[in-house]
């Protein structure tokens, strides 16, 4: 075990934070890849399937995203205000239609990139690679995140 830790330290000392950031990204995409075969269900019906405002990028649809509740495009009322989420759904719809794979892949990649951003932010503030890496890793793999990502 100690030999493995020494090897990891040697690799990191040569390539530093970039390698750790890449490792976080790969770990995140790999960890959540099990959801790529899932179907759209539960609130996906209201946010995606029945939401007419994500069918195309337009000024009228964007106005709804930024001025109405998140489920207004599906004829429902909620307390959610999620304009960027709706914009990402519109992008996904333009590429994948109602095929769930694209929505899950986008969520997985965005979550992995967010973990990388957490790592870089902590590294900038703390100047400690391993501490920044492990805190970002906890953010990445914490079970609380699984519902949001998947």
């Amino acid at each position: 075990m100690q030999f493995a830790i020494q090897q990891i330290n040697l690799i990191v000392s040569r390539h530093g934070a970039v390698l750790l950031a890449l490792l976080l990204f790969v770990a995140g995409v790999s960890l959540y890849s099990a959801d790529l075969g899932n179907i759209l269900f539960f609130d996906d019906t209201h946010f995606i399937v029945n939401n007419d405002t994500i069918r195309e990028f337009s000024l009228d649809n964007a106005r709804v995203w930024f001025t109405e509740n998140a489920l207004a495009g599906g004829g429902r009322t909620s307390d959610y205000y999620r304009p960027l989420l709706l914009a990402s759904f519109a992008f996904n719809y333009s590429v994948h239609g109602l095929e769930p794979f694209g929505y899950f892949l986008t969520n997985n990649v965005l979550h992995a990139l967010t973990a990388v951003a957490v790592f870089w932010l902590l590294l900038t503030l703390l100047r400690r690679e391993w501490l920044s890496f492990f805190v970002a890793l906890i953010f990445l793999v914490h079970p609380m995140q699984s519902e949001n990502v998947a």
Side-chain angles (χ1 to χ4, degrees), residues 45-62:
T45 302
H46 305 301
F47 278 107
I48 300 167
V49 177
N50 297 333
N51 191 340
D52 292 334
T53 66
I54 68 162
R55 301 286 188 254
E56 67 175 324
F57 283 101
S58 71
L59 192 54
D60 288 336
N61 286 341

PDB file of all heavy atoms in Angstrom, residues 45-62:
ATOM      1  N   THR A  45     -41.087  14.086 -16.311  1.00  0.00           N
ATOM      2  CA  THR A  45     -42.298  14.231 -17.116  1.00  0.00           C
ATOM      3  C   THR A  45     -42.713  15.699 -17.191  1.00  0.00           C
ATOM      4  O   THR A  45     -43.058  16.197 -18.259  1.00  0.00           O
ATOM      5  CB  THR A  45     -43.443  13.391 -16.513  1.00  0.00           C
ATOM      6  OG1 THR A  45     -43.017  12.037 -16.445  1.00  0.00           O
ATOM      7  CG2 THR A  45     -44.703  13.489 -17.351  1.00  0.00           C
ATOM      8  N   HIS A  46     -42.644  16.393 -16.066  1.00  0.00           N
ATOM      9  CA  HIS A  46     -43.062  17.797 -16.025  1.00  0.00           C
ATOM     10  C   HIS A  46     -41.983  18.737 -16.555  1.00  0.00           C
ATOM     11  O   HIS A  46     -42.291  19.715 -17.227  1.00  0.00           O
ATOM     12  CB  HIS A  46     -43.443  18.198 -14.606  1.00  0.00           C
ATOM     13  CG  HIS A  46     -44.488  17.319 -14.008  1.00  0.00           C
ATOM     14  ND1 HIS A  46     -45.747  17.144 -14.574  1.00  0.00           N
ATOM     15  CD2 HIS A  46     -44.473  16.529 -12.908  1.00  0.00           C
ATOM     16  CE1 HIS A  46     -46.435  16.301 -13.837  1.00  0.00           C
ATOM     17  NE2 HIS A  46     -45.696  15.913 -12.830  1.00  0.00           N
ATOM     18  N   PHE A  47     -40.725  18.465 -16.232  1.00  0.00           N
ATOM     19  CA  PHE A  47     -39.636  19.341 -16.652  1.00  0.00           C
ATOM     20  C   PHE A  47     -39.292  19.176 -18.138  1.00  0.00           C
ATOM     21  O   PHE A  47     -38.879  20.132 -18.789  1.00  0.00           O
ATOM     22  CB  PHE A  47     -38.365  19.069 -15.844  1.00  0.00           C
ATOM     23  CG  PHE A  47     -38.346  19.741 -14.502  1.00  0.00           C
ATOM     24  CD1 PHE A  47     -38.504  19.011 -13.351  1.00  0.00           C
ATOM     25  CD2 PHE A  47     -38.148  21.107 -14.406  1.00  0.00           C
ATOM     26  CE1 PHE A  47     -38.471  19.630 -12.112  1.00  0.00           C
ATOM     27  CE2 PHE A  47     -38.120  21.740 -13.175  1.00  0.00           C
ATOM     28  CZ  PHE A  47     -38.278  20.997 -12.021  1.00  0.00           C
ATOM     29  N   ILE A  48     -39.425  17.953 -18.665  1.00  0.00           N
ATOM     30  CA  ILE A  48     -38.932  17.670 -20.019  1.00  0.00           C
ATOM     31  C   ILE A  48     -40.046  17.214 -20.958  1.00  0.00           C
ATOM     32  O   ILE A  48     -40.330  17.874 -21.957  1.00  0.00           O
ATOM     33  CB  ILE A  48     -37.812  16.599 -19.967  1.00  0.00           C
ATOM     34  CG1 ILE A  48     -36.645  17.108 -19.122  1.00  0.00           C
ATOM     35  CG2 ILE A  48     -37.350  16.224 -21.364  1.00  0.00           C
ATOM     36  CD1 ILE A  48     -35.630  16.049 -18.751  1.00  0.00           C
ATOM     37  N   VAL A  49     -40.662  16.100 -20.668  1.00  0.00           N
ATOM     38  CA  VAL A  49     -41.582  15.462 -21.609  1.00  0.00           C
ATOM     39  C   VAL A  49     -42.767  16.366 -21.958  1.00  0.00           C
ATOM     40  O   VAL A  49     -43.106  16.533 -23.127  1.00  0.00           O
ATOM     41  CB  VAL A  49     -42.073  14.102 -21.065  1.00  0.00           C
ATOM     42  CG1 VAL A  49     -43.092  13.474 -22.003  1.00  0.00           C
ATOM     43  CG2 VAL A  49     -40.892  13.164 -20.849  1.00  0.00           C
ATOM     44  N   ASN A  50     -43.398  16.980 -20.951  1.00  0.00           N
ATOM     45  CA  ASN A  50     -44.592  17.804 -21.192  1.00  0.00           C
ATOM     46  C   ASN A  50     -44.285  19.293 -21.269  1.00  0.00           C
ATOM     47  O   ASN A  50     -45.210  20.097 -21.301  1.00  0.00           O
ATOM     48  CB  ASN A  50     -45.626  17.564 -20.090  1.00  0.00           C
ATOM     49  CG  ASN A  50     -46.124  16.138 -20.078  1.00  0.00           C
ATOM     50  OD1 ASN A  50     -46.128  15.463 -21.099  1.00  0.00           O
ATOM     51  ND2 ASN A  50     -46.531  15.665 -18.917  1.00  0.00           N
ATOM     52  N   ASN A  51     -43.041  19.674 -21.305  1.00  0.00           N
ATOM     53  CA  ASN A  51     -42.662  21.086 -21.281  1.00  0.00           C
ATOM     54  C   ASN A  51     -42.444  21.604 -22.702  1.00  0.00           C
ATOM     55  O   ASN A  51     -41.416  21.351 -23.321  1.00  0.00           O
ATOM     56  CB  ASN A  51     -41.398  21.281 -20.442  1.00  0.00           C
ATOM     57  CG  ASN A  51     -41.103  22.724 -20.154  1.00  0.00           C
ATOM     58  OD1 ASN A  51     -41.591  23.619 -20.838  1.00  0.00           O
ATOM     59  ND2 ASN A  51     -40.300  22.952 -19.138  1.00  0.00           N
ATOM     60  N   ASP A  52     -43.411  22.338 -23.202  1.00  0.00           N
ATOM     61  CA  ASP A  52     -43.333  22.851 -24.573  1.00  0.00           C
ATOM     62  C   ASP A  52     -42.243  23.906 -24.759  1.00  0.00           C
ATOM     63  O   ASP A  52     -41.775  24.116 -25.879  1.00  0.00           O
ATOM     64  CB  ASP A  52     -44.680  23.450 -24.992  1.00  0.00           C
ATOM     65  CG  ASP A  52     -45.753  22.389 -25.124  1.00  0.00           C
ATOM     66  OD1 ASP A  52     -45.404  21.224 -25.390  1.00  0.00           O
ATOM     67  OD2 ASP A  52     -46.940  22.731 -24.936  1.00  0.00           O
ATOM     68  N   THR A  53     -41.830  24.571 -23.684  1.00  0.00           N
ATOM     69  CA  THR A  53     -40.850  25.660 -23.839  1.00  0.00           C
ATOM     70  C   THR A  53     -39.432  25.173 -24.072  1.00  0.00           C
ATOM     71  O   THR A  53     -38.557  25.986 -24.371  1.00  0.00           O
ATOM     72  CB  THR A  53     -40.860  26.603 -22.622  1.00  0.00           C
ATOM     73  OG1 THR A  53     -40.401  25.902 -21.465  1.00  0.00           O
ATOM     74  CG2 THR A  53     -42.246  27.183 -22.385  1.00  0.00           C
ATOM     75  N   ILE A  54     -39.188  23.882 -23.944  1.00  0.00           N
ATOM     76  CA  ILE A  54     -37.833  23.382 -24.237  1.00  0.00           C
ATOM     77  C   ILE A  54     -37.730  22.809 -25.644  1.00  0.00           C
ATOM     78  O   ILE A  54     -36.664  22.364 -26.054  1.00  0.00           O
ATOM     79  CB  ILE A  54     -37.360  22.337 -23.209  1.00  0.00           C
ATOM     80  CG1 ILE A  54     -38.164  21.050 -23.333  1.00  0.00           C
ATOM     81  CG2 ILE A  54     -37.395  22.902 -21.800  1.00  0.00           C
ATOM     82  CD1 ILE A  54     -37.504  19.863 -22.691  1.00  0.00           C
ATOM     83  N   ARG A  55     -38.795  22.838 -26.392  1.00  0.00           N
ATOM     84  CA  ARG A  55     -38.798  22.250 -27.728  1.00  0.00           C
ATOM     85  C   ARG A  55     -37.935  23.017 -28.724  1.00  0.00           C
ATOM     86  O   ARG A  55     -37.524  22.477 -29.728  1.00  0.00           O
ATOM     87  CB  ARG A  55     -40.221  22.148 -28.275  1.00  0.00           C
ATOM     88  CG  ARG A  55     -41.160  21.319 -27.421  1.00  0.00           C
ATOM     89  CD  ARG A  55     -40.859  19.837 -27.553  1.00  0.00           C
ATOM     90  NE  ARG A  55     -41.869  19.044 -26.882  1.00  0.00           N
ATOM     91  CZ  ARG A  55     -41.678  18.422 -25.723  1.00  0.00           C
ATOM     92  NH1 ARG A  55     -40.537  18.528 -25.116  1.00  0.00           N
ATOM     93  NH2 ARG A  55     -42.635  17.692 -25.187  1.00  0.00           N
ATOM     94  N   GLU A  56     -37.697  24.301 -28.458  1.00  0.00           N
ATOM     95  CA  GLU A  56     -36.823  25.084 -29.333  1.00  0.00           C
ATOM     96  C   GLU A  56     -36.279  26.283 -28.565  1.00  0.00           C
ATOM     97  O   GLU A  56     -36.881  26.764 -27.617  1.00  0.00           O
ATOM     98  CB  GLU A  56     -37.562  25.556 -30.584  1.00  0.00           C
ATOM     99  CG  GLU A  56     -38.652  26.562 -30.311  1.00  0.00           C
ATOM    100  CD  GLU A  56     -39.288  27.098 -31.585  1.00  0.00           C
ATOM    101  OE1 GLU A  56     -38.561  27.272 -32.579  1.00  0.00           O
ATOM    102  OE2 GLU A  56     -40.504  27.332 -31.565  1.00  0.00           O
ATOM    103  N   PHE A  57     -35.103  26.749 -29.018  1.00  0.00           N
ATOM    104  CA  PHE A  57     -34.545  27.981 -28.482  1.00  0.00           C
ATOM    105  C   PHE A  57     -35.253  29.140 -29.168  1.00  0.00           C
ATOM    106  O   PHE A  57     -35.213  29.254 -30.401  1.00  0.00           O
ATOM    107  CB  PHE A  57     -33.037  28.077 -28.773  1.00  0.00           C
ATOM    108  CG  PHE A  57     -32.203  27.228 -27.868  1.00  0.00           C
ATOM    109  CD1 PHE A  57     -31.718  26.009 -28.309  1.00  0.00           C
ATOM    110  CD2 PHE A  57     -31.903  27.655 -26.589  1.00  0.00           C
ATOM    111  CE1 PHE A  57     -30.937  25.228 -27.485  1.00  0.00           C
ATOM    112  CE2 PHE A  57     -31.129  26.883 -25.759  1.00  0.00           C
ATOM    113  CZ  PHE A  57     -30.644  25.665 -26.197  1.00  0.00           C
ATOM    114  N   SER A  58     -35.913  29.965 -28.406  1.00  0.00           N
ATOM    115  CA  SER A  58     -36.544  31.152 -28.967  1.00  0.00           C
ATOM    116  C   SER A  58     -36.624  32.207 -27.864  1.00  0.00           C
ATOM    117  O   SER A  58     -36.538  31.888 -26.675  1.00  0.00           O
ATOM    118  CB  SER A  58     -37.945  30.845 -29.501  1.00  0.00           C
ATOM    119  OG  SER A  58     -38.842  30.615 -28.438  1.00  0.00           O
ATOM    120  N   LEU A  59     -36.810  33.437 -28.270  1.00  0.00           N
ATOM    121  CA  LEU A  59     -36.932  34.526 -27.314  1.00  0.00           C
ATOM    122  C   LEU A  59     -38.170  34.345 -26.439  1.00  0.00           C
ATOM    123  O   LEU A  59     -38.119  34.582 -25.228  1.00  0.00           O
ATOM    124  CB  LEU A  59     -36.984  35.870 -28.041  1.00  0.00           C
ATOM    125  CG  LEU A  59     -36.834  37.113 -27.188  1.00  0.00           C
ATOM    126  CD1 LEU A  59     -35.567  37.054 -26.354  1.00  0.00           C
ATOM    127  CD2 LEU A  59     -36.830  38.350 -28.064  1.00  0.00           C
ATOM    128  N   ASP A  60     -39.255  33.888 -27.039  1.00  0.00           N
ATOM    129  CA  ASP A  60     -40.483  33.661 -26.269  1.00  0.00           C
ATOM    130  C   ASP A  60     -40.274  32.573 -25.210  1.00  0.00           C
ATOM    131  O   ASP A  60     -40.716  32.720 -24.065  1.00  0.00           O
ATOM    132  CB  ASP A  60     -41.637  33.261 -27.190  1.00  0.00           C
ATOM    133  CG  ASP A  60     -42.131  34.428 -28.027  1.00  0.00           C
ATOM    134  OD1 ASP A  60     -41.933  35.587 -27.609  1.00  0.00           O
ATOM    135  OD2 ASP A  60     -42.701  34.170 -29.102  1.00  0.00           O
ATOM    136  N   ASN A  61     -39.620  31.478 -25.589  1.00  0.00           N
ATOM    137  CA  ASN A  61     -39.359  30.408 -24.624  1.00  0.00           C
ATOM    138  C   ASN A  61     -38.401  30.870 -23.533  1.00  0.00           C
ATOM    139  O   ASN A  61     -38.601  30.583 -22.350  1.00  0.00           O
ATOM    140  CB  ASN A  61     -38.818  29.174 -25.323  1.00  0.00           C
ATOM    141  CG  ASN A  61     -39.889  28.437 -26.093  1.00  0.00           C
ATOM    142  OD1 ASN A  61     -41.081  28.620 -25.852  1.00  0.00           O
ATOM    143  ND2 ASN A  61     -39.486  27.613 -27.033  1.00  0.00           N
ATOM    144  N   ALA A  62     -37.351  31.593 -23.902  1.00  0.00           N
ATOM    145  CA  ALA A  62     -36.401  32.100 -22.907  1.00  0.00           C
ATOM    146  C   ALA A  62     -37.099  33.050 -21.939  1.00  0.00           C
ATOM    147  O   ALA A  62     -36.791  33.058 -20.742  1.00  0.00           O
ATOM    148  CB  ALA A  62     -35.226  32.789 -23.592  1.00  0.00           C
TER     149      ALA A  62
END
